[in-house]
Amino acid sequence: MATFKGFAMKRLNEIGWVEKEVPECGPYDAIVKPTCVSPCTSDIHTVWEGAIGDRRDMVLGHEAVGEVVEVGSHVTKFKPGDRVIVPAITPDWDDEAAQRGFPSQTTEPLGGWKFSNFKDGVFGERFHVNMADANLTFIPDGLSEEGAVMLTDMWSTGMMGSENADIPLGGSVLVIGIGAVGLSAIAGAKCLGAGRLFAAGTRPISVEVAKKYGATDIINYKNGAIDEQVRDLTDGAGVDSVVIAGGNLENTWAEAIKSAKAGGTVSNVNYLSGADNVLIPRVEWGCGMSNINIKNGLCPGGAVRMERLADLALCGRQDPELLVTHKFKGLEKIEDALLLMKEKPKDLIKPVVMLDVD
């Protein structure tokens, strides 16, 4: 049996390289060689915060583009050698949750999130993709691998946050947290017709991209409560829509609720970890009757989602490569890129690793 090298969570708080058997390619599946990957803060939550529990020798990573090396007998769209975008979420499209319109939740809650959760991820020389025809799409001409890998999770997640926020045409929007997901939410909000667009964050490198993506106002949370600043800037009105893409469980949700107008929507795409409960302010939420709606979701996956996001980039609506601040080359640099995100998060938005894998 052929083997491959992968960078793994060996156990809680421990990472390292492992050697594993190349997974079997089922009749509807594909085996892919990654050519560009990107670490995610979710990997940090997984390893050092235990957000999804203990995992042993599980290859990390869920953001990748690559080259198909093997396809199953029933795969019709792809062949070895094809360059493909691999979404972070690869649903089971024949599951009843997918048929009801919630493919990210197939088989169980968060079940569409397979890489580095239920099975080995993309930080290795090979990885397995289920239902290849439905979960892969070609990298289109004109889109770089660095840009394409930003679609797989960051753009899909952030833009879903804005899609779920019920932004009215010309409506006011607050995005809390301007890491890669929050910036993608800003990009999505502009595409969806937001008017005034507030971005809450302080990281200079992110502030610059936030403005390029369409932010009209920057809220520095170090200068006071976010909701108080938003209310001051809107003459007490608040905003139509709030996207939570960062922050903490102690006060961020309260600030989001307090920033929203009656009838507004608070949309969460922040990966919650570190505590058992989310604190929602009872009074400001109108004792649960304020008509301020709360939505959440796991980012959409699948081929059509990736194709549409690629079209946004190709048509010049937004540029995913603006998120990429650091580039590494070589499989062995995956560890460096991940540790950079863990140890110096304020110095970057997203790193990518270009792989030379035989």
Side-chain angles (χ1 to χ4, degrees):
M1 176 70 73
T3 62
F4 74 96
K5 180 181 178 182
F7 187 71
M9 173 181 179
K10 306 198 80 171
R11 58 183 58 84
L12 283 175
N13 300 306
E14 184 179 343
I15 55 178
W17 294 95
V18 295
E19 192 85 11
K20 288 199 167 186
E21 292 183 352
V22 174
E24 182 180 351
C25 183
Y28 296 97
D29 306 336
I31 303 299
V32 175
K33 174 179 70 174
T35 56
C36 180
V37 301
S38 182
C40 179
T41 52
S42 298
D43 298 308
I44 294 167
H45 294 316
T46 295
V47 175
W48 288 283
E49 297 177 13
I52 57 174
D54 198 5
R55 298 289 192 273
R56 298 298 177 101
D57 293 335
M58 180 186 68
V59 177
L60 292 165
H62 51 262
E63 299 179 36
V65 299
E67 179 183 319
V68 174
V69 296
E70 182 182 355
V71 296
S73 58
H74 292 351
V75 174
T76 61
K77 290 171 58 179
F78 302 97
K79 63 184 185 305
D82 286 339
R83 297 171 61 248
V84 292
I85 301 172
V86 186
I89 305 303
T90 55
D92 298 289
W93 292 96
D94 56 355
D95 185 77
E96 64 91 26
Q99 295 177 41
R100 289 190 293 108
F102 302 98
S104 297
Q105 314 298 333
T106 51
T107 69
E108 62 182 276
L110 309 186
W113 173 25
K114 302 180 187 303
F115 296 129
S116 67
N117 185 9
F118 302 125
K119 71 177 185 181
D120 285 327
V122 303
F123 288 173
E125 295 168 314
R126 298 288 188 275
F127 62 89
H128 170 273
V129 180
N130 62 295
M131 290 191 162
D133 281 339
N135 282 322
L136 296 177
T137 195
F138 298 102
I139 301 176
D141 293 339
L143 183 62
S144 69
E145 289 194 338
E146 300 96 310
V149 79
M150 291 298 104
L151 310 183
T152 63
D153 185 2
M154 298 300 96
W155 257 30
S156 189
T157 298
M159 291 193 179
M160 179 201 68
S162 289
E163 290 167 289
N164 283 349
D166 298 325
I167 299 169
L169 184 64
S172 53
V173 180
L174 165 65
V175 176
I176 301 177
I178 53 174
V181 169
L183 292 170
S184 300
I186 293 167
K190 181 180 179 182
C191 288
L192 291 168
R196 198 168 183 186
L197 184 44
F198 299 89
T202 61
R203 198 183 314 177
I205 196 168
S206 293
V207 168
E208 179 182 352
V209 175
K211 292 177 179 177
K212 290 179 179 178
Y213 273 165
T216 59
D217 298 76
I218 304 299
I219 302 293
N220 186 336
Y221 58 81
K222 295 179 181 178
N223 293 336
I226 293 171
D227 58 288
E228 292 177 2
Q229 295 185 64
V230 168
R231 292 282 178 180
D232 286 344
L233 290 167
T234 58
D235 297 323
V239 295
D240 295 294
S241 304
V242 181
V243 180
I244 302 175
N248 57 59
L249 298 184
E250 287 73 38
N251 54 27
T252 299
W253 280 73
E255 291 175 324
I257 294 290
K258 293 176 184 179
S259 297
K261 295 177 180 179
T265 299
V266 174
S267 170
N268 180 70
V269 286
N270 192 23
Y271 183 174
L272 303 179
S273 64
D276 292 331
N277 297 289
V278 174
L279 300 178
I280 298 174
R282 182 182 64 85
V283 173
E284 288 80 359
W285 199 31
C287 304
M289 298 178 286
S290 65
N291 286 108
I292 296 174
N293 302 302
I294 297 175
K295 295 186 177 182
N296 68 86
L298 177 64
C299 79
V304 171
R305 178 69 170 184
M306 295 298 106
E307 289 166 3
R308 288 178 173 174
L309 293 179
D311 281 345
L312 283 178
L314 292 171
C315 293
R317 305 304 185 195
Q318 296 284 9
D319 181 2
E321 204 168 335
L322 292 178
L323 300 179
V324 178
T325 55
H326 293 69
K327 297 182 182 181
F328 296 83
K329 186 173 182 180
L331 181 70
E332 71 283 356
K333 294 297 183 180
I334 289 175
E335 181 173 9
D336 293 342
L338 179 63
L339 291 176
L340 178 66
M341 289 197 72
K342 176 178 182 286
E343 296 167 1
K344 297 182 178 180
K346 299 297 184 182
D347 295 339
L348 79 163
I349 301 176
K350 284 286 284 187
V352 297
V353 185
M354 311 300 295
L355 303 179
D356 294 322
V357 181
D358 295 327

